[in-house]
Each structure stands twice: as C-alpha cells, then as structure tokens.
Amino acid sequence: EDISDDESNAGDDPTKTPLDQNPHIALIKQAKTVPVDAGVGDKITYLFKVTNLGNVTLSNVRIDDVKLGLSDLAVEPAELAPNGEGFVEAEYVITQADVNQGYVQNTAIAQGDYTDTNGDPQTTEDISDDESNAGDDPTITPIAPPVPIPTLSEWAVILLSLMLMGMVWRSQGRFGANR
C-alpha cells in the first residue's frame, strides 16, 4: 500500500490544498428605543448586529463607538462562525447639542480576529450601516423636541384672545346670528 505524496511518487508527504480565506464582518447599528419628546439626559438604546459574512471563524468580536464612549464592547457570542450573528445593546445619553441639532448621528466599528494561513493573527473590521450589511451609512436618530405645555398665565392669554376674536367675528356677522 502506498500513501500519496504532494510532489512525487517516492515520498509520503501529505497533500496540502490551499483554501482562500475571505474574512468579512458587517455591522448594522439601529436605535431600538427613543423616548417620546426626548430631551437632554434621556437615553437612546442602540442595537448592534454583527454578521460574519466571510469564510473564516472570527473571535473576540467587538464594537467601538466613539460617540457612545464604547471601546472593545464584547458581542454575544464573541466567536462567530461563517454566517453567524452576534448582538449587543448600548445606551447613549442625549446632550443639548443633540437636541439643538434635532438628531443624533454617528457610526460604529465592528472588529473580529482570525488567524491567517501562515498562523499570524489578523483583524477584520467594518464601519456600521443603519440598515444593510453592504453599506457604511451613519445611523441618524431623530429627536422630537418636547412639546411645551402652556403655563396658567399663558392659558389665560390664549382664552382671552379666543374670546376677543369671537366677539369681533360676531360683530362682523361671521359667527352666529347678529341680532
């Protein structure tokens, strides 16, 4: 019985078939909860979804998001096989600058580690998109300004104005019968 060889008929070395590595990670960042009438100090909860679109297993999968103050936030699970998905949530506290702008806008970065065919450690990364694994569009979260509630004195002015308008309209025959 003869064992195969990768280069000649005389040896018994194993045959090596190189496979191309295609590491590819994708990140989608979306606002999960935004308070109604959000204001300074309120919190937005973001959901990060990381997908391994490559053909190598990724380990130590993590998120960096400067605006949210995140560095190396671990994704669950932290190891993703090809086509695997991992998730993590984080909160952001709304600032006055966000309210003045009317929205919060930013991106995050997902990273995952793998070992190349030479045995060397490598990292792949992706900038987040707001809805697709293919893009790098920033996540824009609109902030609705609080609806002001009139004070008692403001209600009095509103009521008086309405009464005066009614009297003027009535005198002009626009409101009810003028007798």
Side-chain angles (χ1 to χ4, degrees):
E1 173 176 330
D2 186 26
I3 300 176
S4 69
D5 189 77
D6 64 342
E7 295 179 7
S8 74
N9 289 331
D12 290 332
D13 295 332
T15 302
K16 294 180 183 177
T17 305
L19 300 174
D20 289 334
Q21 286 186 323
N22 181 24
H24 186 175
I25 194 170
L27 173 59
I28 296 175
K29 175 185 176 182
Q30 295 180 328
K32 181 178 174 185
T33 58
V34 181
V36 175
D37 297 335
V40 175
D42 289 332
K43 294 179 182 178
I44 299 171
T45 302
Y46 286 99
L47 174 65
F48 299 88
K49 175 185 169 188
V50 180
T51 306
N52 181 353
L53 299 175
N55 66 355
V56 295
T57 298
L58 300 175
S59 61
N60 189 29
V61 178
R62 60 207 179 271
I63 304 288
D64 290 340
D65 190 318
V66 174
K67 188 164 192 90
L68 274 63
L70 305 175
S71 178
D72 294 334
L73 177 65
V75 173
E76 278 294 323
E79 182 172 291
L80 298 178
N83 298 313
E85 294 179 341
F87 300 88
V88 68
E89 292 182 5
E91 290 184 332
Y92 173 72
V93 178
I94 297 170
T95 66
Q96 184 62 55
D98 299 324
V99 173
N100 293 347
Q101 185 170 271
Y103 58 90
V104 176
Q105 174 180 331
N106 82 313
T107 56
I109 296 174
Q111 297 177 324
D113 300 331
Y114 66 99
T115 303
D116 69 15
T117 55
N118 295 322
D120 295 325
Q122 302 292 329
T123 299
T124 183
E125 67 180 35
D126 182 55
I127 297 172
S128 64
D129 190 80
D130 57 343
E131 60 186 27
S132 164
N133 283 332
D136 292 331
D137 295 330
T139 301
I140 299 174
T141 307
I143 300 173
V147 177
I149 299 173
T151 64
L152 188 57
S153 61
E154 290 171 330
W155 274 116
V157 170
I158 292 168
L159 206 60
L160 183 59
S161 298
L162 289 173
M163 288 171 53
L164 289 173
M165 282 187 342
M167 289 185 339
V168 169
W169 287 350
R170 185 177 195 122
S171 70
Q172 294 175 353
R174 293 190 211 173
F175 183 74
N178 189 7
R179 299 186 179 132

